[in-house]
């Protein structure tokens, strides 16, 4: 079986294991206070053009999102999110377990929030009826880049979100679990310095972009992350051997490996998307990143599912179902060519 | 100014104040362990035909809802609610502050949840993708009777909800903040014994139905309310002089006063609704209880708002806005007639 | 049976019921936005000499404490309290249910925290090992005045606590559930303006000092109470008919009734304490307020317990047990004289 | 500088890195549903003689403790712990952040809870005054084995704790962050099957016993861990590449490596303790495991601190301070001999 169902089915880029092995017997302080974490923090600040940013390393995505929200929100405040947002759908209520309501907003298939939606929510909260204290106060805007459906915000869209957040005193937070794929997608005008300039906090995802595990959190607004290390510890996210995180981000970022492998995964995903288009499969949601979403009939899927695994994304009562095809740093080009050929063969004769 | 904006603008039915006054100097144990609470509990069990039910008295609606949810839900479980449900919209995230996600479902203007919606949610949770542990587990179905928009469930609808809750292991909870108005609405086939038989817990609202304050909570499923008094105390709902609650519910329920005053308020609301219909005002949401919802143009409202106050319910960017007209135990029939006449005068000539 | 076991066994001072009755049919806005609450707030500000203070009215003690802590503390912060403090012992973990650890410190039988203890804790937190983020950050100092054992802080002690709170950036919060008894105790040098000057927040207890229910919360430091009404609503403490609270505090405070009735209760408690001393009963904890604590042998208690009820306070495995004797606004002087005589009769011949 | 300050300053036993490297490119399902986790779970069940036990792998100690407590406790319940317990002192209030009070009990320098203390607490809760619902209900007994001060429970002590937990309906939970050192200490009569038989849940620590990271949680009482995977996900502990945990525990446990390396670390710690004793240094707390605690004067420490690092454990205002000397799987015997010699040289001539 060849797996195209997700981007976390393998270990890590070999360079990372080499780095862990070569430093294994060194003694360093724990909890992220080691030289490797310091170097990785410095490097991230430099890449972001944000010399004063706070950089923290956590283990996983749900953890880093919940920890940020716990630090940024007071008890009566909530987070605006797309209804399809990961924090709303697939983190088992981690924000709510921390006491914070997710204020979910509907979106199109791309899964993107617009500045106008945020504006409307804030106006309704402060100017509507009943008085605001009967409702949860919006304080964070959560978006994913790419979104859960692989779509990308443009720089203009991020700037508009930044502006509305500024008007209403909200923090803008970007979940970058797959940020590498987003930053290397063809035609994007969003880069790390733009994120650092426009967001109050954002993550640079490692787990799905070549690391064994790990998410780097960049906090550019100190108000949003005051006493942040307390929250990491309280939330179970302070790795005793914190250097494992610093070492991985150093390995990924110090010579651009992060971007190289993500760009390559995007290109492989392009090959799959082309094959789907040639086969006449309808696209479920447009994506230029490593996740692609197409509709397959039951019969079409039956012809692939012996050899390949995908993620079932949405399954309507009848008609074709949406599947996610996913590549990663570890996807073999040969496997992609084989799958592309088998997809093309689905084309009605 | 005559207020028709809500049903809690006055004190309490005079009988309640008399009862509090006549017992004022008696010494009783605190925290709801007094003879008056005991009598009120016994009376409620009798009226519900539920001799084994647990009955608790709390001060307010947000409090009783949150306390029930905290007792009934474990940390990974959430509550299904209409998107317009009070716990989702107007309790400042009290369920979430207790760690519990509200799983909001869309409804029509009546604001009613259907058994089919609950079935679909549960099936999606347990049989969908990803595996259930990535999502909050549905465990309570929250409905209001009447709903926030004044609508009533039929007995058949409640039985269907009960059945689906049984199939999936969910608790059915009814927020009865305005239960008196619902139980006395013309044509309803729902009564206290039906609620006790079909729900795991429900409230008999006092605050909006003639008391100074107070909600009686009837728990018929002991699993849903284990160690409930701990939750009352922890949630700040254990009134030191608990007898104030027992005395009020005794005064309301011992000779049917609760039903008499609510039936009368419904009848007064009928007069207002008739006037609106005669004036040709469109109905926003159908109601047979003490809250009625009609659309008024800005000009029409301007002609009333010097003398009367209503609640603005929904205000679209353009066109007429929805207003709530509300009666209560304390509404004066003369005031109703005056308002009805002024509404009829809105009729286009 | 005559009850001396607590100060909340009766209703309210008659003037309060009269006031509720005479205003009963008036229509006012809900949720504490009525003219009576406004007048009561203005009066409290005046009595405190704190024209800018924020004043809120809540229903009960556990509720007001938890609500203040939820508003004042971020998620990684905790509250220093005497080990015998009400929030640590007898609120069913309400602070923890809101996510906040009570950092309990040992005290003598008076139950008072000292400035030196707070200093030591803060120094240990910030200067000790491991680094502070492994521990809960102290942010609020909680004291009761009188303490749970009836003792009073002196002005000098409060000033010392204020100073240490200032040094470490902590809030000082005084639980005044029985404040009236404290402010009228012979020899005290603490008054409302002193509390307003030295605390960031404090309560003026109504429930145990003549009201049916209700605690007034005075917040003098806006940082500690930002967006406070959201927390009241979320915590279930926003009474729909909020005027019931405003009316009660007006009745108690507008002509000094609060102080008159508490002073009288203290005097009656003095009579009981004198009798105990004459009977040679050892004092468990020194008090000048309406609660007195004495040790009774089992045989002594047996001679009283047919006619009178007290609270068992502490019961060692052997030897005499500590009991609380409590007076209130409603205690009858005749009952006090009867009990005093019966206590004197315990004197060994 | 040679570090004896903790047991997590290095990476992992080399076998672990080899195992991660050799499996790196395999594709497996995520979230702990892979064959390696399955094998590790089976092996742990076998070693524990507990074929029905539930075994979960989490990343860190604070995380696994908080996740277990969140699953085992309802909202009104708390956890009994030694006052020096890790969950009470050094997890930044993680249990409280989940809503659960730590009910701390004093202990001697060994840091062990006794069955008698648990009995006394439960009796006080259920039989004392005020009624139990005013207090947090004890539900879990948390102990560490070894304790934070390196001490070990005997089998008889664990059996007594089990018995008292049975009497009062409590869960017994053992934090085994350093379990390997405890199970291999000379003279212990506690082994994995005993823990599985006596506890409702316990952890087998990896982070401090040779792994890069990871704690295995064994739940033998299904009531304590219902729907546990929801709690792992909600708490941020569900590692996407869960196999990293399975692989590490397989490497450690499949041929007894875990016990070999911990036994050796204990032996090295023995050498240091002997040297301390020869030097006449007072022992702060007795330990037979890899952590040893001795008192050093300032002058003595000054003679060591250029070459070696230790953890300052307790620093009284005057007199010698307690330091922790710690060995691990990675401690070099040569370094131990060098330090032992330098310690012996502290002996007063």
């Amino acid at each position: 079986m060849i797996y195209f169902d997700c981007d976390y089915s393998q270990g890590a880029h070999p360079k990372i294991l080499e780095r862990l092995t070569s430093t294994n017997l060194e003694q360093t302080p724990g909890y992220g206070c080691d030289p490797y974490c310091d170097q990785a923090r410095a490097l991230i600040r430099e890449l972001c053009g944000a010399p004063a940013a706070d950089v923290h390393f956590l283990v996983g995505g749900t953890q880093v999102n919940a920890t940020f929200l716990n630090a940024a929100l007071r008890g009566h405040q909530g987070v605006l999110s797309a209804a399809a947002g990961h924090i709303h759908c697939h983190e088992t209520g981690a924000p709510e377990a921390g006491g914070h309501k997710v204020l979910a907003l509907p979106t199109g298939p791309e899964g993107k929030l617009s500045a106008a939606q945020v504006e409307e929510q804030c106006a309704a909260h402060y100017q509507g009826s009943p008085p605001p204290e009967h409702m949860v106060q919006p304080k964070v805007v959560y978006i994913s880049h790419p979104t859960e459906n692989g779509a990308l915000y443009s720089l203009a869209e991020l700037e508009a979100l930044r502006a509305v957040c500024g008007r209403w005193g909200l923090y803008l937070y970007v979940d970058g679990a797959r940020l590498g794929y987003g930053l290397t997608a063809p035609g994007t005008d969003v880069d790390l310095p733009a994120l650092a300039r426009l967001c109050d906090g954002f993550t640079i995802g490692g787990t799905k972009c070549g690391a064994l595990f790990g998410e780097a959190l960049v906090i550019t607004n100190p108000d949003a992350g005051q006493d942040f290390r307390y929250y990491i510890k309280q939330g179970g996210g302070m790795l005793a051997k914190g250097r494992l995180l610093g070492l991985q981000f150093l390995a990924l970022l110090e010579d651009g490996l992060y971007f190289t492998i993500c760009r390559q995964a995007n290109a492989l995903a392009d090959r799959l998307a082309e094959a789907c288009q040639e086969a006449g499969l309808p696209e479920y949601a447009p994506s230029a990143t490593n996740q692609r979403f197409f509709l397959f009939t039951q019969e079409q899927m039956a012809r692939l599912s012996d050899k390949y695994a995908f993620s079932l994304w949405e399954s309507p009562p009848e008609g074709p179902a949406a599947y996610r095809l996913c590549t990663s740093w570890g996807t073999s080009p040969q496997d992609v060519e084989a799958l592309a050929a088998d997809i093309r063969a689905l084309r009605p004769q």
Side-chain angles (χ1 to χ4, degrees), chain A residues 16-319:
Chain A
I16 281 180
L17 286 172
E18 285 158 26
R19 192 65 65 90
L20 294 182
T21 303
S22 68
T23 59
N24 187 48
L25 293 182
E26 294 177 16
Q27 288 190 312
T28 60
Y31 303 118
C33 301
D34 61 278
Y36 297 113
C37 283
D38 287 344
Q39 291 169 40
R41 277 189 277 265
L43 178 54
I44 288 173
R45 285 190 200 102
E46 190 191 321
L47 292 171
C48 292
D54 227 4
V55 180
H56 301 279
F57 302 109
L58 287 95
V59 173
T62 296
Q63 183 180 77
V64 72
N65 290 338
T67 305
F68 179 83
L69 292 175
N70 282 335
L73 296 174
R74 291 177 66 218
H76 66 307
Q77 299 174 329
V79 47
L80 292 166
S81 162
H86 206 256
I87 56 166
H88 188 56
C89 297
H90 292 136
E91 301 190 356
T92 322
E96 290 83 3
H100 305 297
K101 193 177 185 80
V102 179
L103 303 161
L105 300 175
T107 66
E110 290 201 318
K112 287 158 65 173
L113 274 193
S114 73
Q117 286 179 292
V118 175
E119 176 71 30
E120 185 188 10
Q121 283 295 307
C122 292
H125 179 78
Y126 287 106
Q127 299 163 354
S129 160
E133 64 259 26
H134 291 246
M135 297 169 288
V136 170
Q137 187 182 71
K139 185 65 186 176
V140 166
V141 172
Y142 165 95
I143 60 173
S144 306
H145 185 82
T147 69
E148 286 68 19
N149 287 352
L152 293 174
Y153 287 85
S154 69
L155 187 59
E157 288 170 332
L158 292 180
E159 283 170 339
L161 283 166
R162 168 75 274 160
V164 70
C165 285
R167 271 198 297 283
W168 292 100
L170 274 61
Y171 299 129
L172 178 59
Y173 173 76
V174 172
D175 177 342
R178 293 189 173 90
L179 190 62
Y181 304 111
L183 296 179
T184 57
T188 184
D189 54 1
V190 174
D191 57 14
L192 285 175
L195 289 170
R197 176 170 59 86
L198 297 172
C199 304
D200 300 286
F202 68 98
T203 61
I204 304 173
T207 307
K208 292 168 177 161
C209 302
L212 286 173
F213 55 86
E215 311 291 303
L217 171 63
V218 182
I219 303 180
T220 55
N221 182 343
D223 289 345
Q226 222 184 328
D227 287 338
F228 198 78
R229 282 178 59 85
Y230 287 85
Y231 289 91
I232 301 178
K233 178 65 185 163
Q234 186 182 69
M238 192 171 279
L239 200 62
K241 302 177 185 179
R243 74 187 194 193
L244 304 177
L245 291 160
L247 281 161
Q248 292 187 78
F249 277 96
L250 265 186
L252 286 171
L253 292 170
E254 66 193 351
D255 61 0
L257 178 64
Y258 187 71
F259 303 101
T260 307
I261 61 182
C262 289
R263 187 175 292 113
Q264 178 182 337
N266 285 343
L268 292 174
D270 276 346
R271 299 284 297 146
L272 295 179
E274 288 158 16
C276 290
Q277 279 147 358
E278 287 178 37
L281 300 171
E283 195 165 25
Y284 168 75
S287 165
T289 57
N290 73 315
Q291 305 179 89
R292 303 299 164 99
F293 304 85
F294 284 88
L295 297 170
F296 293 79
T297 65
Q298 218 171 330
E299 191 232 342
Q300 289 169 327
M301 191 43 64
R303 287 167 60 189
L304 297 173
S305 58
D306 279 352
K307 287 168 65 182
Y308 310 100
F310 314 104
S311 286
L312 177 59
W313 208 244
E314 193 176 315
S315 179
E318 51 191 58

